[in-house]
Amino acid sequence: MSDTLRYRRRHKLLHWIIALLVAVQLILARGMGHAFAIRMEAANASWDSAAVIHALLGTTIAVLMLWRLMIRLTSDIPPPPASAPPFVQWASRATHWLFYAILIGMPFVGALAWALKAAWIGQVHATTGKVLIALIALHIAGAGYHHFIAGDRQVIRRMIPR
């Protein structure tokens, strides 16, 4: 496969590191929700280990996504397959940009909710988490569509580290 159809190694590395960190965040989210509920009820609630880990991972994800965004804006990336219908190409681009917006913005919203003890901001953070889960499902379904239905096997291959 031509290098113009593959993501560069740094894209792939960041993609899979961020995917792993997001998976860990999703697993730990319930613990953070519990810690936030305690913070809302107590006058002097302290950070527990779930809150610290969640905050550190969220910050790490945001920094890595900012790095990935800088790379994306300054280097070429493979386009969606030309054989894909225009709506699929649009959905592919929109999904990727939504990942950037959510994974960069969500940690800031969470930090703001924690710092201000603002339940409504915490709810925005939690709702965005549900949107993120749907977006991940769409992303995986899109890869499956290209690979198994459309026969564009290059889509998955260009993201697999080698």
Side-chain angles (χ1 to χ4, degrees):
M1 179 182 305
S2 165
D3 284 345
T4 60
L5 297 178
R6 286 192 172 278
Y7 283 93
R8 293 182 181 178
R9 188 165 36 161
R10 62 185 176 209
H11 284 112
K12 291 186 254 187
L13 183 63
L14 284 170
H15 174 275
W16 292 109
I17 290 171
I18 292 165
L20 177 65
L21 293 175
V22 168
V24 171
Q25 281 291 65
L26 293 174
I27 292 167
L28 298 177
R30 179 160 286 166
M32 184 59 197
H34 179 70
F36 186 71
I38 291 171
R39 177 158 173 74
M40 292 301 293
E41 293 173 6
N44 292 345
S46 63
W47 288 78
D48 68 358
S49 59
V52 170
I53 292 168
H54 190 78
L56 289 173
L57 288 176
T59 302
T60 301
I61 290 168
V63 168
L64 292 175
M65 285 300 292
L66 284 167
W67 182 20
R68 188 167 177 198
L69 179 60
M70 301 249 317
I71 292 169
R72 181 173 182 140
L73 294 174
T74 59
S75 63
D76 292 332
I77 61 162
S83 61
F87 175 76
V88 172
Q89 292 185 31
W90 176 86
S92 172
R93 287 185 181 100
T95 299
H96 284 93
W97 286 111
L98 282 170
F99 273 126
Y100 285 106
I102 289 172
L103 292 175
I104 292 169
M106 200 170 175
F108 293 103
V109 172
L112 192 61
W114 184 272
L116 298 179
K117 290 179 71 171
W120 73 271
I121 300 174
Q123 188 57 49
V124 169
H125 184 75
T127 301
T128 304
K130 291 175 178 66
V131 172
L132 177 61
I133 291 168
L135 198 60
I136 292 167
L138 179 63
H139 187 63
I140 292 168
Y145 162 80
H146 284 293
H147 191 78
F148 297 111
I149 297 170
D152 297 327
R153 301 204 187 301
Q154 69 178 353
V155 172
I156 289 180
R157 285 187 191 139
R158 65 186 181 188
M159 279 308 294
I160 295 175
R162 298 186 350 156

